[in-house]
Amino acid sequence: MLSSPYIAEKSSVSIIMLKVLAALVPGIAVYVWLFGPAILVTLTLASVTALVLETSAVRLRGWPARPFLMDGSALVTAWLLALSLPPIAPWWLIVVGTFFAIVVAKHLYGGLGNNLFNPAMVGYAVLIISFPVQMTQWPSPLSLAGAHLGLLDSAQYIFTGILPDGLKLDAISSATPLDTLRTQLQLEHTVREITRLPVFGSIGGTGGEVVVLMYLLGGLYLWLARIITWHIPAAFIAGLWITGGLFHVADPDRYISPWFHLATGGAMLGAFFIATDPVSGATTPRGKLIFGAGIGMLTYLIRTLGGYPDGVAFAVLLMNIMVPLIDAYTQPKVYGHKQKEPAE
């Protein structure tokens, strides 16, 4: 066994961002396998747009572009935004969302390390509020779809809105499990009846639950690689599961199992990749627990009682607002000193 003192391995923003991107690859691969290659077009377009906007922004500020392009932060933002969007959404939707993420949420606040809000979630929030119809065009799992789009057909539809001859949009798209659950509950169906529909899998949505599992494994890799700590993901998952469990116990015919909420939508992507943003999230250990638990609870409440089927983005942004207060009241005690009250 080695004895102290230890020399910490050198790290850099570029290496950290590269590891985050690598952790997303298994989820993306399974996404392509189960839902088709359209997500690759979305990821590519978001990445190119993010790099162009990043270059333009830093040059307008009189800074050299190369260090900012090489740090990988723009690519991470682009990938997280792209993975939050419907893969067959029109090209301009991806460009607009990336613009708000890179230019408005990041560079207008001073660039990397100065943004108050998670840039990818700002882009998503702008799109879901401004273009709700286009944000509902999710592809069906290939096992349930009436037709499959190849890579070129997907790119043609995303850039031109034209499908192959004789193919209708209904054949390749469907409502998400969260959308279906909300709609069917409004029609007074019970959870037991709703979950018999083909779009629901063993725990979450058909196909989507496997993608969520890959995001979970990617997140565990980030934890083992010490890119993130356990506090925010664990608190996020606990907040979402406990809140969902209380509602489910109170009325199981109306409120679905909390396991469904963990295995559906952006739960694992949000817990391990989005909420753990070191710039816009809480920084103290106790603060991270409060921050993560708050996001988990708000995600459930927005999904269940709010106007949007998936509440991860709004939950993250609302808790971003609370970060200065959380950090101020959760500062650890300095050894040998009395705990200080936060300055007013």
Side-chain angles (χ1 to χ4, degrees), residues 40-93:
L40 298 178
V41 180
T42 303
L43 281 166
T44 303
L45 178 58
S47 299
V48 172
T49 305
L51 293 176
V52 170
L53 292 172
E54 182 88 351
T55 302
S56 303
V58 295
R59 285 186 174 173
L60 283 174
R61 300 173 72 180
W63 296 342
R66 181 178 172 81
F68 293 91
L69 293 178
M70 296 301 292
D71 69 23
S73 61
L75 280 179
V76 170
T77 298
W79 283 30
L80 293 178
L81 175 63
L83 293 173
S84 304
L85 300 179
I88 54 175
W91 67 270
W92 55 264
L93 197 77

Short mmCIF file of all heavy atoms in Angstrom, two decimals, residues 40-93:
data_model
loop_
_atom_site.label_atom_id
_atom_site.label_comp_id
_atom_site.label_asym_id
_atom_site.label_seq_id
_atom_site.Cartn_x
_atom_site.Cartn_y
_atom_site.Cartn_z
N LEU A 40 -27.96 11.23 -34.25
CA LEU A 40 -26.61 11.57 -34.71
C LEU A 40 -26.61 12.86 -35.51
O LEU A 40 -25.66 13.66 -35.43
CB LEU A 40 -26.05 10.41 -35.54
CG LEU A 40 -25.88 9.07 -34.82
CD1 LEU A 40 -25.36 8.01 -35.78
CD2 LEU A 40 -24.94 9.22 -33.63
N VAL A 41 -27.66 13.08 -36.30
CA VAL A 41 -27.78 14.33 -37.06
C VAL A 41 -27.95 15.51 -36.10
O VAL A 41 -27.30 16.55 -36.24
CB VAL A 41 -28.97 14.26 -38.04
CG1 VAL A 41 -29.09 15.56 -38.84
CG2 VAL A 41 -28.84 13.06 -38.97
N THR A 42 -28.79 15.32 -35.11
CA THR A 42 -29.03 16.39 -34.12
C THR A 42 -27.75 16.71 -33.35
O THR A 42 -27.41 17.89 -33.14
CB THR A 42 -30.14 15.95 -33.15
OG1 THR A 42 -31.31 15.64 -33.90
CG2 THR A 42 -30.45 17.06 -32.16
N LEU A 43 -27.03 15.69 -32.93
CA LEU A 43 -25.78 15.91 -32.19
C LEU A 43 -24.75 16.63 -33.05
O LEU A 43 -24.06 17.56 -32.58
CB LEU A 43 -25.22 14.57 -31.73
CG LEU A 43 -25.87 13.93 -30.49
CD1 LEU A 43 -25.44 12.48 -30.36
CD2 LEU A 43 -25.50 14.71 -29.24
N THR A 44 -24.65 16.23 -34.32
CA THR A 44 -23.67 16.86 -35.21
C THR A 44 -24.02 18.33 -35.45
O THR A 44 -23.15 19.21 -35.37
CB THR A 44 -23.62 16.11 -36.55
OG1 THR A 44 -23.31 14.74 -36.31
CG2 THR A 44 -22.58 16.72 -37.47
N LEU A 45 -25.29 18.59 -35.73
CA LEU A 45 -25.70 19.97 -35.98
C LEU A 45 -25.51 20.85 -34.74
O LEU A 45 -25.01 21.98 -34.84
CB LEU A 45 -27.17 20.00 -36.42
CG LEU A 45 -27.77 21.38 -36.68
CD1 LEU A 45 -26.97 22.13 -37.75
CD2 LEU A 45 -29.23 21.26 -37.10
N ALA A 46 -25.88 20.34 -33.59
CA ALA A 46 -25.70 21.12 -32.35
C ALA A 46 -24.22 21.37 -32.08
O ALA A 46 -23.83 22.47 -31.65
CB ALA A 46 -26.35 20.38 -31.18
N SER A 47 -23.37 20.37 -32.34
CA SER A 47 -21.93 20.52 -32.08
C SER A 47 -21.32 21.57 -33.01
O SER A 47 -20.56 22.46 -32.55
CB SER A 47 -21.22 19.18 -32.29
OG SER A 47 -21.71 18.21 -31.40
N VAL A 48 -21.64 21.49 -34.30
CA VAL A 48 -21.09 22.47 -35.26
C VAL A 48 -21.58 23.87 -34.92
O VAL A 48 -20.80 24.84 -34.90
CB VAL A 48 -21.49 22.08 -36.69
CG1 VAL A 48 -21.11 23.19 -37.67
CG2 VAL A 48 -20.84 20.77 -37.10
N THR A 49 -22.85 24.00 -34.62
CA THR A 49 -23.41 25.32 -34.27
C THR A 49 -22.75 25.86 -33.01
O THR A 49 -22.39 27.05 -32.95
CB THR A 49 -24.93 25.19 -34.04
OG1 THR A 49 -25.54 24.62 -35.19
CG2 THR A 49 -25.54 26.56 -33.78
N ALA A 50 -22.56 25.01 -32.01
CA ALA A 50 -21.94 25.47 -30.76
C ALA A 50 -20.51 25.94 -30.99
O ALA A 50 -20.09 26.97 -30.44
CB ALA A 50 -21.97 24.33 -29.74
N LEU A 51 -19.74 25.20 -31.80
CA LEU A 51 -18.34 25.59 -32.04
C LEU A 51 -18.27 26.90 -32.84
O LEU A 51 -17.40 27.75 -32.56
CB LEU A 51 -17.62 24.47 -32.79
CG LEU A 51 -17.42 23.17 -31.98
CD1 LEU A 51 -16.77 22.10 -32.84
CD2 LEU A 51 -16.58 23.42 -30.73
N VAL A 52 -19.16 27.08 -33.80
CA VAL A 52 -19.18 28.33 -34.57
C VAL A 52 -19.55 29.51 -33.67
O VAL A 52 -18.91 30.57 -33.70
CB VAL A 52 -20.17 28.22 -35.76
CG1 VAL A 52 -20.38 29.59 -36.41
CG2 VAL A 52 -19.67 27.22 -36.78
N LEU A 53 -20.57 29.32 -32.84
CA LEU A 53 -20.99 30.40 -31.94
C LEU A 53 -19.92 30.70 -30.88
O LEU A 53 -19.70 31.86 -30.52
CB LEU A 53 -22.31 30.02 -31.26
CG LEU A 53 -23.53 29.97 -32.19
CD1 LEU A 53 -24.73 29.39 -31.46
CD2 LEU A 53 -23.86 31.36 -32.72
N GLU A 54 -19.27 29.65 -30.38
CA GLU A 54 -18.20 29.84 -29.39
C GLU A 54 -17.06 30.65 -30.00
O GLU A 54 -16.54 31.59 -29.38
CB GLU A 54 -17.69 28.48 -28.93
CG GLU A 54 -16.60 28.53 -27.86
CD GLU A 54 -17.18 28.56 -26.45
OE1 GLU A 54 -18.40 28.70 -26.31
OE2 GLU A 54 -16.39 28.44 -25.50
N THR A 55 -16.68 30.28 -31.22
CA THR A 55 -15.60 31.01 -31.91
C THR A 55 -15.98 32.47 -32.11
O THR A 55 -15.17 33.39 -31.85
CB THR A 55 -15.31 30.35 -33.27
OG1 THR A 55 -14.95 28.98 -33.06
CG2 THR A 55 -14.17 31.05 -33.97
N SER A 56 -17.19 32.71 -32.59
CA SER A 56 -17.63 34.08 -32.86
C SER A 56 -17.66 34.90 -31.58
O SER A 56 -17.23 36.07 -31.56
CB SER A 56 -19.03 34.05 -33.50
OG SER A 56 -19.03 33.27 -34.68
N ALA A 57 -18.15 34.29 -30.50
CA ALA A 57 -18.29 35.04 -29.25
C ALA A 57 -16.93 35.44 -28.67
O ALA A 57 -16.73 36.60 -28.25
CB ALA A 57 -19.08 34.20 -28.24
N VAL A 58 -15.98 34.51 -28.65
CA VAL A 58 -14.69 34.84 -28.04
C VAL A 58 -13.90 35.81 -28.92
O VAL A 58 -13.15 36.66 -28.41
CB VAL A 58 -13.86 33.57 -27.75
CG1 VAL A 58 -14.55 32.71 -26.72
CG2 VAL A 58 -13.59 32.78 -29.01
N ARG A 59 -14.05 35.73 -30.22
CA ARG A 59 -13.36 36.68 -31.10
C ARG A 59 -13.95 38.08 -30.97
O ARG A 59 -13.22 39.07 -31.04
CB ARG A 59 -13.42 36.19 -32.55
CG ARG A 59 -12.46 35.03 -32.81
CD ARG A 59 -12.41 34.65 -34.27
NE ARG A 59 -11.38 33.64 -34.51
CZ ARG A 59 -11.19 33.03 -35.65
NH1 ARG A 59 -12.00 33.31 -36.69
NH2 ARG A 59 -10.24 32.14 -35.79
N LEU A 60 -15.26 38.17 -30.81
CA LEU A 60 -15.88 39.48 -30.59
C LEU A 60 -15.38 40.11 -29.28
O LEU A 60 -15.33 41.33 -29.15
CB LEU A 60 -17.41 39.34 -30.54
CG LEU A 60 -18.10 39.17 -31.89
CD1 LEU A 60 -19.59 38.88 -31.70
CD2 LEU A 60 -17.92 40.43 -32.75
N ARG A 61 -15.00 39.27 -28.34
CA ARG A 61 -14.49 39.78 -27.06
C ARG A 61 -12.98 39.99 -27.09
O ARG A 61 -12.38 40.34 -26.07
CB ARG A 61 -14.87 38.81 -25.95
CG ARG A 61 -16.39 38.64 -25.84
CD ARG A 61 -16.76 37.57 -24.88
NE ARG A 61 -16.52 37.96 -23.51
CZ ARG A 61 -16.78 37.19 -22.45
NH1 ARG A 61 -17.27 35.99 -22.65
NH2 ARG A 61 -16.55 37.62 -21.25
N GLY A 62 -12.37 39.73 -28.27
CA GLY A 62 -10.94 39.97 -28.42
C GLY A 62 -10.06 38.90 -27.87
O GLY A 62 -8.87 39.15 -27.58
N TRP A 63 -10.59 37.69 -27.67
CA TRP A 63 -9.81 36.60 -27.11
C TRP A 63 -9.45 35.60 -28.21
O TRP A 63 -10.17 35.48 -29.21
CB TRP A 63 -10.61 35.87 -26.02
CG TRP A 63 -10.91 36.72 -24.83
CD1 TRP A 63 -10.29 37.88 -24.47
CD2 TRP A 63 -11.92 36.47 -23.86
NE1 TRP A 63 -10.85 38.39 -23.32
CE2 TRP A 63 -11.85 37.54 -22.91
CE3 TRP A 63 -12.86 35.48 -23.67
CZ2 TRP A 63 -12.70 37.61 -21.81
CZ3 TRP A 63 -13.70 35.55 -22.57
CH2 TRP A 63 -13.62 36.59 -21.66
N PRO A 64 -8.36 34.85 -28.05
CA PRO A 64 -8.03 33.80 -29.03
C PRO A 64 -9.05 32.67 -28.94
O PRO A 64 -9.45 32.26 -27.84
CB PRO A 64 -6.64 33.35 -28.61
CG PRO A 64 -6.53 33.71 -27.17
CD PRO A 64 -7.35 34.96 -26.98
N ALA A 65 -9.45 32.14 -30.08
CA ALA A 65 -10.52 31.14 -30.10
C ALA A 65 -10.04 29.74 -29.71
O ALA A 65 -10.78 28.97 -29.10
CB ALA A 65 -11.15 31.10 -31.49
N ARG A 66 -8.79 29.40 -30.07
CA ARG A 66 -8.33 28.02 -29.92
C ARG A 66 -8.46 27.47 -28.49
O ARG A 66 -9.00 26.36 -28.30
CB ARG A 66 -6.87 27.91 -30.39
CG ARG A 66 -6.31 26.50 -30.29
CD ARG A 66 -4.88 26.44 -30.82
NE ARG A 66 -4.28 25.15 -30.56
CZ ARG A 66 -4.47 24.08 -31.29
NH1 ARG A 66 -5.25 24.15 -32.35
NH2 ARG A 66 -3.90 22.93 -30.99
N PRO A 67 -8.01 28.19 -27.45
CA PRO A 67 -8.14 27.62 -26.09
C PRO A 67 -9.59 27.32 -25.72
O PRO A 67 -9.86 26.33 -25.02
CB PRO A 67 -7.53 28.71 -25.20
CG PRO A 67 -6.66 29.51 -26.10
CD PRO A 67 -7.32 29.49 -27.43
N PHE A 68 -10.51 28.14 -26.14
CA PHE A 68 -11.91 27.95 -25.77
C PHE A 68 -12.53 26.79 -26.56
O PHE A 68 -13.40 26.08 -26.05
CB PHE A 68 -12.70 29.24 -26.02
CG PHE A 68 -12.29 30.34 -25.10
CD1 PHE A 68 -11.27 31.23 -25.46
CD2 PHE A 68 -12.89 30.51 -23.86
CE1 PHE A 68 -10.87 32.24 -24.61
CE2 PHE A 68 -12.50 31.52 -23.00
CZ PHE A 68 -11.48 32.39 -23.38
N LEU A 69 -12.09 26.63 -27.82
CA LEU A 69 -12.60 25.50 -28.59
C LEU A 69 -12.05 24.18 -28.06
O LEU A 69 -12.73 23.16 -28.07
CB LEU A 69 -12.23 25.67 -30.07
CG LEU A 69 -12.90 26.83 -30.79
CD1 LEU A 69 -12.41 26.91 -32.23
CD2 LEU A 69 -14.42 26.68 -30.77
N MET A 70 -10.78 24.21 -27.62
CA MET A 70 -10.13 22.98 -27.17
C MET A 70 -10.59 22.55 -25.77
O MET A 70 -10.36 21.40 -25.39
CB MET A 70 -8.61 23.16 -27.17
CG MET A 70 -8.02 23.39 -28.56
SD MET A 70 -8.37 22.05 -29.71
CE MET A 70 -7.41 20.74 -28.98
N ASP A 71 -11.20 23.45 -25.00
CA ASP A 71 -11.58 23.02 -23.65
C ASP A 71 -12.78 22.07 -23.64
O ASP A 71 -13.04 21.39 -22.64
CB ASP A 71 -11.82 24.23 -22.73
CG ASP A 71 -13.06 25.03 -23.09
OD1 ASP A 71 -13.98 24.51 -23.73
OD2 ASP A 71 -13.11 26.21 -22.71
N GLY A 72 -13.53 22.01 -24.73
CA GLY A 72 -14.60 21.02 -24.85
C GLY A 72 -15.91 21.40 -24.20
O GLY A 72 -16.90 20.67 -24.29
N SER A 73 -15.96 22.55 -23.53
CA SER A 73 -17.18 22.92 -22.80
C SER A 73 -18.34 23.18 -23.75
O SER A 73 -19.50 22.85 -23.45
CB SER A 73 -16.93 24.15 -21.93
OG SER A 73 -16.56 25.27 -22.72
N ALA A 74 -18.05 23.77 -24.91
CA ALA A 74 -19.12 24.04 -25.88
C ALA A 74 -19.72 22.73 -26.39
O ALA A 74 -20.94 22.63 -26.59
CB ALA A 74 -18.59 24.88 -27.04
N LEU A 75 -18.86 21.73 -26.61
CA LEU A 75 -19.36 20.43 -27.08
C LEU A 75 -20.23 19.75 -26.03
O LEU A 75 -21.26 19.16 -26.36
CB LEU A 75 -18.18 19.53 -27.46
CG LEU A 75 -17.54 19.78 -28.83
CD1 LEU A 75 -16.38 18.82 -29.05
CD2 LEU A 75 -18.56 19.63 -29.95
N VAL A 76 -19.83 19.82 -24.77
CA VAL A 76 -20.63 19.22 -23.71
C VAL A 76 -22.01 19.88 -23.66
O VAL A 76 -23.05 19.20 -23.57
CB VAL A 76 -19.92 19.33 -22.35
CG1 VAL A 76 -20.86 18.94 -21.21
CG2 VAL A 76 -18.68 18.44 -22.33
N THR A 77 -22.03 21.21 -23.73
CA THR A 77 -23.32 21.91 -23.73
C THR A 77 -24.16 21.49 -24.93
O THR A 77 -25.37 21.24 -24.80
CB THR A 77 -23.07 23.43 -23.78
OG1 THR A 77 -22.36 23.83 -22.61
CG2 THR A 77 -24.38 24.20 -23.84
N ALA A 78 -23.53 21.40 -26.10
CA ALA A 78 -24.26 21.03 -27.31
C ALA A 78 -24.83 19.62 -27.20
O ALA A 78 -26.00 19.39 -27.56
CB ALA A 78 -23.33 21.13 -28.52
N TRP A 79 -24.04 18.69 -26.68
CA TRP A 79 -24.52 17.31 -26.56
C TRP A 79 -25.67 17.19 -25.56
O TRP A 79 -26.64 16.49 -25.81
CB TRP A 79 -23.37 16.38 -26.15
CG TRP A 79 -22.43 16.05 -27.26
CD1 TRP A 79 -22.12 16.84 -28.34
CD2 TRP A 79 -21.68 14.84 -27.43
NE1 TRP A 79 -21.22 16.20 -29.15
CE2 TRP A 79 -20.93 14.98 -28.61
CE3 TRP A 79 -21.54 13.68 -26.67
CZ2 TRP A 79 -20.07 13.97 -29.07
CZ3 TRP A 79 -20.70 12.68 -27.11
CH2 TRP A 79 -19.97 12.83 -28.30
N LEU A 80 -25.53 17.87 -24.42
CA LEU A 80 -26.60 17.78 -23.41
C LEU A 80 -27.89 18.39 -23.94
O LEU A 80 -28.99 17.89 -23.68
CB LEU A 80 -26.16 18.49 -22.12
CG LEU A 80 -25.01 17.82 -21.37
CD1 LEU A 80 -24.63 18.62 -20.13
CD2 LEU A 80 -25.39 16.39 -20.96
N LEU A 81 -27.77 19.49 -24.68
CA LEU A 81 -28.97 20.09 -25.27
C LEU A 81 -29.56 19.15 -26.33
O LEU A 81 -30.77 18.90 -26.33
CB LEU A 81 -28.63 21.44 -25.90
CG LEU A 81 -29.78 22.12 -26.66
CD1 LEU A 81 -30.94 22.44 -25.72
CD2 LEU A 81 -29.30 23.38 -27.36
N ALA A 82 -28.72 18.63 -27.22
CA ALA A 82 -29.21 17.77 -28.29
C ALA A 82 -29.89 16.52 -27.74
O ALA A 82 -30.92 16.08 -28.27
CB ALA A 82 -28.04 17.37 -29.20
N LEU A 83 -29.34 15.95 -26.67
CA LEU A 83 -29.93 14.74 -26.09
C LEU A 83 -31.23 15.04 -25.35
O LEU A 83 -31.98 14.12 -25.00
CB LEU A 83 -28.93 14.08 -25.13
CG LEU A 83 -27.70 13.49 -25.81
CD1 LEU A 83 -26.69 13.01 -24.78
CD2 LEU A 83 -28.08 12.33 -26.74
N SER A 84 -31.50 16.32 -25.09
CA SER A 84 -32.75 16.71 -24.43
C SER A 84 -33.85 17.03 -25.44
O SER A 84 -35.01 17.19 -25.05
CB SER A 84 -32.51 17.93 -23.53
OG SER A 84 -31.50 17.69 -22.58
N LEU A 85 -33.48 17.14 -26.72
CA LEU A 85 -34.44 17.55 -27.76
C LEU A 85 -34.97 16.34 -28.52
O LEU A 85 -34.31 15.30 -28.58
CB LEU A 85 -33.76 18.50 -28.74
CG LEU A 85 -33.19 19.80 -28.17
CD1 LEU A 85 -32.54 20.62 -29.29
CD2 LEU A 85 -34.29 20.61 -27.49
N PRO A 86 -36.15 16.46 -29.13
CA PRO A 86 -36.61 15.38 -30.02
C PRO A 86 -35.63 15.21 -31.18
O PRO A 86 -35.30 16.19 -31.86
CB PRO A 86 -37.97 15.91 -30.52
CG PRO A 86 -38.38 16.93 -29.52
CD PRO A 86 -37.12 17.56 -29.02
N PRO A 87 -35.14 13.99 -31.43
CA PRO A 87 -34.12 13.80 -32.48
C PRO A 87 -34.58 14.17 -33.88
O PRO A 87 -33.74 14.40 -34.75
CB PRO A 87 -33.82 12.30 -32.39
CG PRO A 87 -34.21 11.92 -31.01
CD PRO A 87 -35.39 12.77 -30.67
N ILE A 88 -35.88 14.19 -34.14
CA ILE A 88 -36.35 14.56 -35.48
C ILE A 88 -36.91 15.98 -35.49
O ILE A 88 -37.71 16.33 -36.37
CB ILE A 88 -37.40 13.55 -36.00
CG1 ILE A 88 -38.54 13.38 -34.99
CG2 ILE A 88 -36.75 12.23 -36.32
CD1 ILE A 88 -39.67 12.49 -35.52
N ALA A 89 -36.50 16.80 -34.54
CA ALA A 89 -36.91 18.21 -34.53
C ALA A 89 -36.26 18.94 -35.70
O ALA A 89 -35.17 18.56 -36.15
CB ALA A 89 -36.50 18.86 -33.22
N PRO A 90 -36.91 19.98 -36.24
CA PRO A 90 -36.32 20.72 -37.37
C PRO A 90 -34.99 21.37 -37.02
O PRO A 90 -34.73 21.71 -35.87
CB PRO A 90 -37.40 21.75 -37.70
CG PRO A 90 -38.23 21.86 -36.48
CD PRO A 90 -38.20 20.53 -35.82
N TRP A 91 -34.16 21.57 -38.04
CA TRP A 91 -32.79 22.06 -37.83
C TRP A 91 -32.74 23.40 -37.13
O TRP A 91 -31.88 23.66 -36.29
CB TRP A 91 -32.07 22.15 -39.18
CG TRP A 91 -32.62 23.21 -40.09
CD1 TRP A 91 -33.60 23.06 -41.01
CD2 TRP A 91 -32.23 24.60 -40.14
NE1 TRP A 91 -33.87 24.25 -41.64
CE2 TRP A 91 -33.04 25.20 -41.12
CE3 TRP A 91 -31.30 25.36 -39.45
CZ2 TRP A 91 -32.94 26.57 -41.42
CZ3 TRP A 91 -31.19 26.73 -39.75
CH2 TRP A 91 -31.99 27.30 -40.73
N TRP A 92 -33.69 24.28 -37.49
CA TRP A 92 -33.64 25.63 -36.92
C TRP A 92 -33.92 25.61 -35.41
O TRP A 92 -33.46 26.48 -34.67
CB TRP A 92 -34.62 26.56 -37.64
CG TRP A 92 -36.05 26.07 -37.67
CD1 TRP A 92 -36.67 25.38 -38.67
CD2 TRP A 92 -37.04 26.23 -36.63
NE1 TRP A 92 -37.97 25.10 -38.34
CE2 TRP A 92 -38.23 25.61 -37.10
CE3 TRP A 92 -37.03 26.83 -35.38
CZ2 TRP A 92 -39.39 25.58 -36.34
CZ3 TRP A 92 -38.20 26.80 -34.62
CH2 TRP A 92 -39.35 26.18 -35.11
N LEU A 93 -34.67 24.62 -34.96
CA LEU A 93 -34.94 24.51 -33.52
C LEU A 93 -33.63 24.23 -32.77
O LEU A 93 -33.37 24.81 -31.71
CB LEU A 93 -35.94 23.38 -33.28
CG LEU A 93 -36.64 23.37 -31.93
CD1 LEU A 93 -37.73 24.43 -31.89
CD2 LEU A 93 -37.25 22.00 -31.64
#
